[in-house]
């Protein structure tokens, strides 16, 4: 992989937690996209990362990834933090080479989320993402590649499920984020990831609170 492609792949990896479908913007080969995600993903999340099939149709502005799995940081026992069945993106092909890429629709299907120890595993990953972005926000070196940004019209998280341990789980309500990055004239891949991750964490925490209240109610 050429140096520029390697830099771009690494930058794209900042969206790995929930933005895997954006990787195809930096390489025309499915296998290179898969390798980049699995190589750089742990740097972002502080956890293991794996992905299944990668299918890219660059000329049509579409891409899909299956079985994106993010493990847990050290000290947690559940098999993984998040596993997403499939990610799909529809992107305006005319903006692929632009500094701001226009994503018409970005869909995360069937995320399976483990909420361990009050969600501390998810919080730990969020802290890793924040630290990674803080490092990227440091002084730029001469010759560094430009950081591509994204404006996403519609971002959906659909048919998710949250597991709380002891066999207790709950369906995750559909999340719909609009105009991600629009106000700031584009968001980096990492910033997109952070926004989606926080939305899922808030929803999972709300479900946990309601589930806890319901369980306590059974014993009154």
């Amino acid at each position: 992989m050429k140096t520029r492609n390697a830099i771009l792949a690494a930058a794209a990896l900042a969206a790995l937690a929930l933005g895997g479908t954006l990787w195809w913007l930096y390489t025309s080969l499915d296998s290179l996209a898969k390798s980049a995600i699995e190589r750089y993903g742990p740097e972002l999340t502080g956890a293991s990362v794996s992905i299944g099939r990668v299918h890219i149709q660059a000329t049509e502005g579409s891409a899909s990834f299956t079985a994106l799995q993010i493990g847990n940081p050290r000290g947690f026992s559940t098999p993984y933090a998040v596993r997403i069945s499939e990610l799909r993106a529809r992107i305006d092909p005319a903006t692929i080479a632009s500094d701001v890429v226009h994503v018409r629709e970005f869909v995360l299907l069937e995320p399976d989320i483990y909420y361990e120890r009050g969600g501390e595993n998810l919080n730990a990953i969020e802290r890793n993402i924040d630290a990674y972005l803080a490092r990227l926000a440091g002084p730029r070196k001469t010759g560094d590649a430009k950081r591509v940004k994204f404006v996403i019209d519609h971002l959906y998280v659909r048919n998710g499920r949250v597991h709380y341990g002891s066999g207790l789980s709950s369906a995750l309500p559909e999340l719909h984020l609009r105009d991600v990055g629009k106000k700031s004239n584009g968001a980096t891949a990492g910033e997109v990831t952070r926004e989606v991750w926080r939305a899922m964490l808030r929803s999972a925490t709300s479900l946990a609170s309601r589930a806890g209240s319901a369980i306590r109610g059974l014993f009154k």
Side-chain angles (χ1 to χ4, degrees), residues 83-107:
R83 189 178 191 276
I84 302 173
S85 178
E86 185 176 3
L87 304 96
R88 301 173 185 168
R90 291 192 303 107
I91 302 171
D92 181 357
T95 67
I96 289 176
S98 304
D99 291 344
V100 179
V101 177
H102 178 204
V103 182
R104 295 186 177 116
E105 185 178 74
F106 187 27
V107 183

PDB file of all heavy atoms in Angstrom, residues 83-107:
ATOM      1  N   ARG A  83     -21.263  -6.087  18.473  1.00  0.00           N
ATOM      2  CA  ARG A  83     -21.140  -6.815  17.213  1.00  0.00           C
ATOM      3  C   ARG A  83     -22.254  -6.337  16.294  1.00  0.00           C
ATOM      4  O   ARG A  83     -23.425  -6.390  16.660  1.00  0.00           O
ATOM      5  CB  ARG A  83     -21.244  -8.328  17.407  1.00  0.00           C
ATOM      6  CG  ARG A  83     -20.907  -9.132  16.146  1.00  0.00           C
ATOM      7  CD  ARG A  83     -20.971 -10.628  16.431  1.00  0.00           C
ATOM      8  NE  ARG A  83     -20.403 -11.415  15.347  1.00  0.00           N
ATOM      9  CZ  ARG A  83     -21.051 -11.790  14.248  1.00  0.00           C
ATOM     10  NH1 ARG A  83     -22.326 -11.437  14.090  1.00  0.00           N
ATOM     11  NH2 ARG A  83     -20.464 -12.500  13.314  1.00  0.00           N
ATOM     12  N   ILE A  84     -21.895  -5.828  15.118  1.00  0.00           N
ATOM     13  CA  ILE A  84     -22.867  -5.287  14.172  1.00  0.00           C
ATOM     14  C   ILE A  84     -22.994  -6.256  13.005  1.00  0.00           C
ATOM     15  O   ILE A  84     -22.001  -6.586  12.354  1.00  0.00           O
ATOM     16  CB  ILE A  84     -22.441  -3.893  13.682  1.00  0.00           C
ATOM     17  CG1 ILE A  84     -22.295  -2.943  14.882  1.00  0.00           C
ATOM     18  CG2 ILE A  84     -23.460  -3.334  12.687  1.00  0.00           C
ATOM     19  CD1 ILE A  84     -21.710  -1.593  14.523  1.00  0.00           C
ATOM     20  N   SER A  85     -24.211  -6.707  12.753  1.00  0.00           N
ATOM     21  CA  SER A  85     -24.431  -7.707  11.711  1.00  0.00           C
ATOM     22  C   SER A  85     -24.013  -7.204  10.337  1.00  0.00           C
ATOM     23  O   SER A  85     -23.333  -7.896   9.581  1.00  0.00           O
ATOM     24  CB  SER A  85     -25.909  -8.118  11.694  1.00  0.00           C
ATOM     25  OG  SER A  85     -26.159  -9.051  10.667  1.00  0.00           O
ATOM     26  N   GLU A  86     -24.418  -5.972  10.011  1.00  0.00           N
ATOM     27  CA  GLU A  86     -24.077  -5.417   8.692  1.00  0.00           C
ATOM     28  C   GLU A  86     -24.087  -3.900   8.754  1.00  0.00           C
ATOM     29  O   GLU A  86     -24.863  -3.299   9.505  1.00  0.00           O
ATOM     30  CB  GLU A  86     -25.067  -5.903   7.633  1.00  0.00           C
ATOM     31  CG  GLU A  86     -24.719  -5.466   6.213  1.00  0.00           C
ATOM     32  CD  GLU A  86     -25.658  -6.032   5.154  1.00  0.00           C
ATOM     33  OE1 GLU A  86     -26.622  -6.727   5.536  1.00  0.00           O
ATOM     34  OE2 GLU A  86     -25.431  -5.769   3.958  1.00  0.00           O
ATOM     35  N   LEU A  87     -23.197  -3.285   7.961  1.00  0.00           N
ATOM     36  CA  LEU A  87     -23.175  -1.843   7.802  1.00  0.00           C
ATOM     37  C   LEU A  87     -23.300  -1.526   6.326  1.00  0.00           C
ATOM     38  O   LEU A  87     -22.643  -2.162   5.493  1.00  0.00           O
ATOM     39  CB  LEU A  87     -21.871  -1.245   8.344  1.00  0.00           C
ATOM     40  CG  LEU A  87     -21.514  -1.547   9.795  1.00  0.00           C
ATOM     41  CD1 LEU A  87     -20.567  -2.731   9.888  1.00  0.00           C
ATOM     42  CD2 LEU A  87     -20.875  -0.332  10.475  1.00  0.00           C
ATOM     43  N   ARG A  88     -24.138  -0.559   5.976  1.00  0.00           N
ATOM     44  CA  ARG A  88     -24.343  -0.190   4.586  1.00  0.00           C
ATOM     45  C   ARG A  88     -24.224   1.325   4.438  1.00  0.00           C
ATOM     46  O   ARG A  88     -24.650   2.080   5.307  1.00  0.00           O
ATOM     47  CB  ARG A  88     -25.734  -0.613   4.099  1.00  0.00           C
ATOM     48  CG  ARG A  88     -26.019  -2.101   4.203  1.00  0.00           C
ATOM     49  CD  ARG A  88     -27.470  -2.371   3.849  1.00  0.00           C
ATOM     50  NE  ARG A  88     -27.833  -3.773   4.037  1.00  0.00           N
ATOM     51  CZ  ARG A  88     -29.091  -4.223   4.028  1.00  0.00           C
ATOM     52  NH1 ARG A  88     -30.094  -3.348   3.865  1.00  0.00           N
ATOM     53  NH2 ARG A  88     -29.325  -5.497   4.201  1.00  0.00           N
ATOM     54  N   ALA A  89     -23.663   1.747   3.314  1.00  0.00           N
ATOM     55  CA  ALA A  89     -23.544   3.181   3.050  1.00  0.00           C
ATOM     56  C   ALA A  89     -23.906   3.485   1.608  1.00  0.00           C
ATOM     57  O   ALA A  89     -23.593   2.707   0.701  1.00  0.00           O
ATOM     58  CB  ALA A  89     -22.127   3.661   3.341  1.00  0.00           C
ATOM     59  N   ARG A  90     -24.585   4.614   1.408  1.00  0.00           N
ATOM     60  CA  ARG A  90     -24.835   5.165   0.070  1.00  0.00           C
ATOM     61  C   ARG A  90     -24.183   6.539   0.038  1.00  0.00           C
ATOM     62  O   ARG A  90     -24.528   7.412   0.831  1.00  0.00           O
ATOM     63  CB  ARG A  90     -26.328   5.277  -0.222  1.00  0.00           C
ATOM     64  CG  ARG A  90     -27.032   3.958  -0.386  1.00  0.00           C
ATOM     65  CD  ARG A  90     -28.442   4.122  -0.968  1.00  0.00           C
ATOM     66  NE  ARG A  90     -29.288   5.000  -0.173  1.00  0.00           N
ATOM     67  CZ  ARG A  90     -29.637   6.228  -0.517  1.00  0.00           C
ATOM     68  NH1 ARG A  90     -29.176   6.771  -1.649  1.00  0.00           N
ATOM     69  NH2 ARG A  90     -30.422   6.952   0.269  1.00  0.00           N
ATOM     70  N   ILE A  91     -23.237   6.713  -0.867  1.00  0.00           N
ATOM     71  CA  ILE A  91     -22.427   7.927  -0.903  1.00  0.00           C
ATOM     72  C   ILE A  91     -22.490   8.556  -2.284  1.00  0.00           C
ATOM     73  O   ILE A  91     -22.554   7.848  -3.298  1.00  0.00           O
ATOM     74  CB  ILE A  91     -20.966   7.589  -0.536  1.00  0.00           C
ATOM     75  CG1 ILE A  91     -20.927   6.938   0.848  1.00  0.00           C
ATOM     76  CG2 ILE A  91     -20.079   8.821  -0.551  1.00  0.00           C
ATOM     77  CD1 ILE A  91     -19.590   6.371   1.235  1.00  0.00           C
ATOM     78  N   ASP A  92     -22.504   9.867  -2.334  1.00  0.00           N
ATOM     79  CA  ASP A  92     -22.484  10.579  -3.612  1.00  0.00           C
ATOM     80  C   ASP A  92     -21.118  10.373  -4.260  1.00  0.00           C
ATOM     81  O   ASP A  92     -20.116  10.901  -3.770  1.00  0.00           O
ATOM     82  CB  ASP A  92     -22.740  12.068  -3.357  1.00  0.00           C
ATOM     83  CG  ASP A  92     -22.752  12.892  -4.634  1.00  0.00           C
ATOM     84  OD1 ASP A  92     -22.507  12.314  -5.719  1.00  0.00           O
ATOM     85  OD2 ASP A  92     -22.995  14.106  -4.541  1.00  0.00           O
ATOM     86  N   PRO A  93     -21.045   9.611  -5.360  1.00  0.00           N
ATOM     87  CA  PRO A  93     -19.744   9.314  -5.978  1.00  0.00           C
ATOM     88  C   PRO A  93     -18.977  10.562  -6.394  1.00  0.00           C
ATOM     89  O   PRO A  93     -17.741  10.555  -6.422  1.00  0.00           O
ATOM     90  CB  PRO A  93     -20.111   8.454  -7.200  1.00  0.00           C
ATOM     91  CG  PRO A  93     -21.456   7.894  -6.895  1.00  0.00           C
ATOM     92  CD  PRO A  93     -22.151   8.957  -6.085  1.00  0.00           C
ATOM     93  N   ALA A  94     -19.699  11.640  -6.700  1.00  0.00           N
ATOM     94  CA  ALA A  94     -19.040  12.862  -7.156  1.00  0.00           C
ATOM     95  C   ALA A  94     -18.219  13.528  -6.056  1.00  0.00           C
ATOM     96  O   ALA A  94     -17.381  14.380  -6.341  1.00  0.00           O
ATOM     97  CB  ALA A  94     -20.080  13.843  -7.693  1.00  0.00           C
ATOM     98  N   THR A  95     -18.459  13.142  -4.796  1.00  0.00           N
ATOM     99  CA  THR A  95     -17.751  13.787  -3.682  1.00  0.00           C
ATOM    100  C   THR A  95     -16.630  12.927  -3.111  1.00  0.00           C
ATOM    101  O   THR A  95     -15.977  13.336  -2.142  1.00  0.00           O
ATOM    102  CB  THR A  95     -18.734  14.125  -2.547  1.00  0.00           C
ATOM    103  OG1 THR A  95     -19.230  12.899  -1.963  1.00  0.00           O
ATOM    104  CG2 THR A  95     -19.899  14.955  -3.061  1.00  0.00           C
ATOM    105  N   ILE A  96     -16.383  11.766  -3.701  1.00  0.00           N
ATOM    106  CA  ILE A  96     -15.404  10.842  -3.126  1.00  0.00           C
ATOM    107  C   ILE A  96     -14.020  11.463  -3.016  1.00  0.00           C
ATOM    108  O   ILE A  96     -13.297  11.247  -2.046  1.00  0.00           O
ATOM    109  CB  ILE A  96     -15.358   9.538  -3.944  1.00  0.00           C
ATOM    110  CG1 ILE A  96     -16.640   8.736  -3.716  1.00  0.00           C
ATOM    111  CG2 ILE A  96     -14.140   8.698  -3.559  1.00  0.00           C
ATOM    112  CD1 ILE A  96     -16.742   7.487  -4.554  1.00  0.00           C
ATOM    113  N   ALA A  97     -13.627  12.244  -3.993  1.00  0.00           N
ATOM    114  CA  ALA A  97     -12.295  12.854  -3.982  1.00  0.00           C
ATOM    115  C   ALA A  97     -12.293  14.217  -3.288  1.00  0.00           C
ATOM    116  O   ALA A  97     -11.262  14.893  -3.268  1.00  0.00           O
ATOM    117  CB  ALA A  97     -11.770  12.991  -5.406  1.00  0.00           C
ATOM    118  N   SER A  98     -13.412  14.617  -2.719  1.00  0.00           N
ATOM    119  CA  SER A  98     -13.512  15.930  -2.081  1.00  0.00           C
ATOM    120  C   SER A  98     -13.005  15.888  -0.644  1.00  0.00           C
ATOM    121  O   SER A  98     -12.878  14.822  -0.041  1.00  0.00           O
ATOM    122  CB  SER A  98     -14.966  16.411  -2.083  1.00  0.00           C
ATOM    123  OG  SER A  98     -15.489  16.443  -3.393  1.00  0.00           O
ATOM    124  N   ASP A  99     -12.743  17.076  -0.097  1.00  0.00           N
ATOM    125  CA  ASP A  99     -12.353  17.160   1.305  1.00  0.00           C
ATOM    126  C   ASP A  99     -13.524  16.821   2.223  1.00  0.00           C
ATOM    127  O   ASP A  99     -13.330  16.366   3.346  1.00  0.00           O
ATOM    128  CB  ASP A  99     -11.838  18.562   1.639  1.00  0.00           C
ATOM    129  CG  ASP A  99     -10.500  18.860   0.976  1.00  0.00           C
ATOM    130  OD1 ASP A  99      -9.835  17.891   0.527  1.00  0.00           O
ATOM    131  OD2 ASP A  99     -10.135  20.040   0.898  1.00  0.00           O
ATOM    132  N   VAL A 100     -14.752  17.076   1.754  1.00  0.00           N
ATOM    133  CA  VAL A 100     -15.956  16.744   2.510  1.00  0.00           C
ATOM    134  C   VAL A 100     -16.785  15.775   1.664  1.00  0.00           C
ATOM    135  O   VAL A 100     -17.275  16.128   0.599  1.00  0.00           O
ATOM    136  CB  VAL A 100     -16.786  18.000   2.859  1.00  0.00           C
ATOM    137  CG1 VAL A 100     -18.037  17.604   3.632  1.00  0.00           C
ATOM    138  CG2 VAL A 100     -15.950  18.993   3.665  1.00  0.00           C
ATOM    139  N   VAL A 101     -16.924  14.563   2.144  1.00  0.00           N
ATOM    140  CA  VAL A 101     -17.646  13.516   1.421  1.00  0.00           C
ATOM    141  C   VAL A 101     -19.108  13.532   1.855  1.00  0.00           C
ATOM    142  O   VAL A 101     -19.413  13.577   3.057  1.00  0.00           O
ATOM    143  CB  VAL A 101     -17.024  12.140   1.706  1.00  0.00           C
ATOM    144  CG1 VAL A 101     -17.816  11.039   1.015  1.00  0.00           C
ATOM    145  CG2 VAL A 101     -15.571  12.118   1.250  1.00  0.00           C
ATOM    146  N   HIS A 102     -20.013  13.496   0.875  1.00  0.00           N
ATOM    147  CA  HIS A 102     -21.442  13.522   1.153  1.00  0.00           C
ATOM    148  C   HIS A 102     -21.979  12.098   1.217  1.00  0.00           C
ATOM    149  O   HIS A 102     -22.002  11.376   0.220  1.00  0.00           O
ATOM    150  CB  HIS A 102     -22.169  14.307   0.053  1.00  0.00           C
ATOM    151  CG  HIS A 102     -23.646  14.346   0.228  1.00  0.00           C
ATOM    152  ND1 HIS A 102     -24.512  14.560  -0.834  1.00  0.00           N
ATOM    153  CD2 HIS A 102     -24.440  14.200   1.323  1.00  0.00           C
ATOM    154  CE1 HIS A 102     -25.755  14.541  -0.396  1.00  0.00           C
ATOM    155  NE2 HIS A 102     -25.729  14.318   0.911  1.00  0.00           N
ATOM    156  N   VAL A 103     -22.410  11.695   2.409  1.00  0.00           N
ATOM    157  CA  VAL A 103     -22.994  10.369   2.620  1.00  0.00           C
ATOM    158  C   VAL A 103     -24.507  10.536   2.699  1.00  0.00           C
ATOM    159  O   VAL A 103     -25.013  11.212   3.595  1.00  0.00           O
ATOM    160  CB  VAL A 103     -22.462   9.722   3.916  1.00  0.00           C
ATOM    161  CG1 VAL A 103     -23.044   8.319   4.095  1.00  0.00           C
ATOM    162  CG2 VAL A 103     -20.941   9.674   3.904  1.00  0.00           C
ATOM    163  N   ARG A 104     -25.200   9.943   1.762  1.00  0.00           N
ATOM    164  CA  ARG A 104     -26.659  10.109   1.738  1.00  0.00           C
ATOM    165  C   ARG A 104     -27.333   9.298   2.843  1.00  0.00           C
ATOM    166  O   ARG A 104     -28.267   9.767   3.490  1.00  0.00           O
ATOM    167  CB  ARG A 104     -27.193   9.670   0.373  1.00  0.00           C
ATOM    168  CG  ARG A 104     -26.717  10.549  -0.784  1.00  0.00           C
ATOM    169  CD  ARG A 104     -27.390  10.154  -2.081  1.00  0.00           C
ATOM    170  NE  ARG A 104     -26.999  11.030  -3.170  1.00  0.00           N
ATOM    171  CZ  ARG A 104     -26.318  10.648  -4.243  1.00  0.00           C
ATOM    172  NH1 ARG A 104     -25.947   9.377  -4.378  1.00  0.00           N
ATOM    173  NH2 ARG A 104     -26.006  11.512  -5.191  1.00  0.00           N
ATOM    174  N   GLU A 105     -26.858   8.086   3.053  1.00  0.00           N
ATOM    175  CA  GLU A 105     -27.468   7.231   4.083  1.00  0.00           C
ATOM    176  C   GLU A 105     -26.426   6.257   4.616  1.00  0.00           C
ATOM    177  O   GLU A 105     -25.637   5.689   3.863  1.00  0.00           O
ATOM    178  CB  GLU A 105     -28.643   6.454   3.508  1.00  0.00           C
ATOM    179  CG  GLU A 105     -29.401   5.638   4.552  1.00  0.00           C
ATOM    180  CD  GLU A 105     -30.592   4.908   3.961  1.00  0.00           C
ATOM    181  OE1 GLU A 105     -30.376   3.904   3.246  1.00  0.00           O
ATOM    182  OE2 GLU A 105     -31.733   5.347   4.190  1.00  0.00           O
ATOM    183  N   PHE A 106     -26.439   6.080   5.916  1.00  0.00           N
ATOM    184  CA  PHE A 106     -25.514   5.174   6.581  1.00  0.00           C
ATOM    185  C   PHE A 106     -26.334   4.365   7.570  1.00  0.00           C
ATOM    186  O   PHE A 106     -26.991   4.926   8.446  1.00  0.00           O
ATOM    187  CB  PHE A 106     -24.447   6.015   7.291  1.00  0.00           C
ATOM    188  CG  PHE A 106     -23.323   5.226   7.899  1.00  0.00           C
ATOM    189  CD1 PHE A 106     -22.944   3.997   7.411  1.00  0.00           C
ATOM    190  CD2 PHE A 106     -22.623   5.759   8.975  1.00  0.00           C
ATOM    191  CE1 PHE A 106     -21.896   3.295   7.965  1.00  0.00           C
ATOM    192  CE2 PHE A 106     -21.572   5.071   9.541  1.00  0.00           C
ATOM    193  CZ  PHE A 106     -21.203   3.834   9.041  1.00  0.00           C
ATOM    194  N   VAL A 107     -26.343   3.038   7.421  1.00  0.00           N
ATOM    195  CA  VAL A 107     -27.211   2.179   8.225  1.00  0.00           C
ATOM    196  C   VAL A 107     -26.387   1.122   8.955  1.00  0.00           C
ATOM    197  O   VAL A 107     -25.579   0.419   8.339  1.00  0.00           O
ATOM    198  CB  VAL A 107     -28.270   1.480   7.353  1.00  0.00           C
ATOM    199  CG1 VAL A 107     -29.217   0.655   8.226  1.00  0.00           C
ATOM    200  CG2 VAL A 107     -29.068   2.502   6.546  1.00  0.00           C
TER     201      VAL A 107
END
